[in-house]
Amino acid sequence: MRKNKAVMIGAGLANMAAAVYLIQEGHWSGSDITFYALDQDGSNDGDVTKDVTDDYWNKNHPMSNTKGYIARGGRMLNYRTYVDLMDLLDRIPSMTEPSMTAAQDTRDFDSKHPTFDKARLLQGGKGILDASKLEFNRADRKLLSKLVLMPDEDETKLDNVTIAEYFADDPHFFETNFWFMWETTFAFRTRSSAQELRRYMHQMIYEFTQIEHLVGVNRTRYNQYESIMLPLINYLKTQGCEIILNRRVTEFEFKETAMTDEITVTGFKMVNTKTGDTEHITIDNDTGVIFTNGSITDSATLGDYDTPAPENMDYGAASSLWRQAANHFYNVGHPDKFFADRDASEWLSFTLTTKNHLLLNDITRITTQLPGNALNSFISTEPITPLGQIDVDMSIVVHHQPHFTAQKTNETVIWGYFLYPRRESKLFDKPYMELTGKEMLLELIEHLSVVDPGPINIKEHQDDILDSVVNNIPAYMPYDSALFNNRAKIDRPEVIPEHSTNLAFTGEFVEQPYQMIFTEQSAVRSGEIAAFHFAGIPMSKLVKTPRYDRDIPTLLRAAKKMFD
């Protein structure tokens, strides 16, 4: 239903994309678009630590050390599949490179600093592993082929099936180089959705032939907040959009209708998180409401060098509002499938800032590669999974430096994460999520020391490395993998639910044909769909999605790699 104004609940990438398309394709005035959000980081964050300490989720957990930089996460780009993202970035100017669009900026940087990972997998006693061999057996190949060849219309056969259940008769799969790389490249867990794994296999099938080097990965010049979000924010502000922060929307008001699936938002209530005041917004018939119904960074908390990140038990701001809508209507999904099981979704990351390049140089020596966005994953030498198998313990990303525009020449910023925060640290005899920033650094040095080829082991530099630390920020994120949680297709709402007159859903918790989530691609496309709907633009005008799963040469190359 065509509208002439829009209210955005959430100021992440999806809703900002929607605003850009409303302005450029729908020819709306930016002054007719208003955002209400807790913050404007979205999941593409990255900032100076002192600038995020007062954010909503951190306000009850003051930090004693606010130096250095923080990036709760980082997502890889891929031009071949992220076609909607690159279309969006081509529409806005870069923040740091004059006369370039944000897309040109990214392509320019990436062409000069291509990714070629030389140490994708490392293991104590062995050092850098030869990950070119995916290590499949016959059962692995059979089940993966069945997944890749499954047509779209049969996808519901994987409703409520976990990856572990799909491979229940083939536990060997979870000890292959392929799984170690796939789980850490894309953040899948054994309890994640097999349906979502199928979508990734379809869209990323060409990665089979290059996954050990990650040559298909593209990166922004700086962190994604400064290279993607800030260009969007500044563009929208120059267009007249109003972005109102420190607002938590708590309740929708819906029109009472005889049919319980007819969705019309008439208003909503929200709390000013700075003052505690309750506010009310009325929605008229000419206004569309575009709602990001889940956030993987909701309820995230930060620690510092001497303090672990505390656990925040809040269900989440966006998901709580989604649940309130789901209590009214049966066709807008089931948020509990994603936000009621932290053990299936939680992450722990850290952002380390040092005042010199000593640690960076040691990592360069050990991994035999210069800084530049490679992903290094450390595999355990002892069983650590419920199946009694080895698995990846920790992963790090050593970005091209500087990773922040404010970063000093002599500073290094390194990001890392633990996919299973409740696993025990052998070094400290407690769960990873209870580690301080200093303990996480010592954990990293320990992991590096057992793969260090010498002749001087990194442990001999440990005291000097500790002396170089500016800060190390742990970030606990209870919902970071929630979008992969096991579910059925009906558990996510469509961008435009049937019989909705003015409410659209965007982000990583909406159902879009073929699209894979946890990508800037799916976020942008959901916003694009919502914008086209409310602006009356035919969906045939959407950016065309490539189908590599139907490209015979790509499939043949993948098949060859599978049998190498």
Side-chain angles (χ1 to χ4, degrees), residues 427-496:
L427 189 61
F428 295 102
D429 196 29
K430 58 183 177 181
Y432 290 126
M433 64 186 295
E434 295 180 11
L435 300 186
T436 66
K438 180 179 181 180
E439 290 169 335
M440 288 184 181
L441 171 57
L442 290 169
E443 189 77 36
L444 172 58
I445 294 173
E446 179 68 20
H447 277 73
L448 288 165
S449 71
V450 299
V451 298
D452 191 338
I456 299 175
N457 192 278
I458 188 174
K459 278 234 175 146
E460 296 186 40
H461 298 156
Q462 180 167 296
D463 289 343
D464 290 334
I465 291 171
L466 293 177
D467 287 342
S468 75
V469 174
V470 174
N471 207 350
N472 192 24
I473 308 294
Y476 171 70
M477 296 167 285
Y479 306 123
D480 210 45
S481 286
L483 31 65
F484 285 141
N485 277 17
N486 192 29
R487 44 80 183 165
K489 287 185 75 168
I490 64 169
D491 290 326
R492 299 189 298 207
E494 295 183 357
V495 177
I496 311 297

Side-chain angles (χ1 to χ4, degrees), residues 14 84 152 155 195-196 198-199 203 293 487 489-490 492-496 505-530 539 542-543 545 547:
D84 293 78
D152 293 347
E155 190 178 44
Q195 196 174 87
E196 201 61 48
R198 172 195 169 273
R199 291 197 180 190
Q203 281 208 274
N293 58 305
R487 44 80 183 165
K489 287 185 75 168
I490 64 169
R492 299 189 298 207
E494 295 183 357
V495 177
I496 311 297
F505 292 84
T506 61
E508 305 290 10
F509 295 89
V510 298
E511 181 59 36
Q512 303 181 69
Y514 183 65
Q515 296 295 323
M516 57 184 186
I517 43 76
F518 207 8
T519 65
E520 291 88 342
Q521 165 65 17
S522 60
V524 170
R525 192 169 184 85
S526 67
E528 186 183 358
I529 291 171
M539 294 298 162
L542 291 169
V543 177
T545 299
R547 292 293 304 249

Side-chain angles (χ1 to χ4, degrees), residues 256-268:
E256 293 294 333
T257 63
M259 303 301 293
T260 56
D261 59 356
E262 183 180 319
I263 305 170
T264 300
V265 179
T266 59
F268 55 82

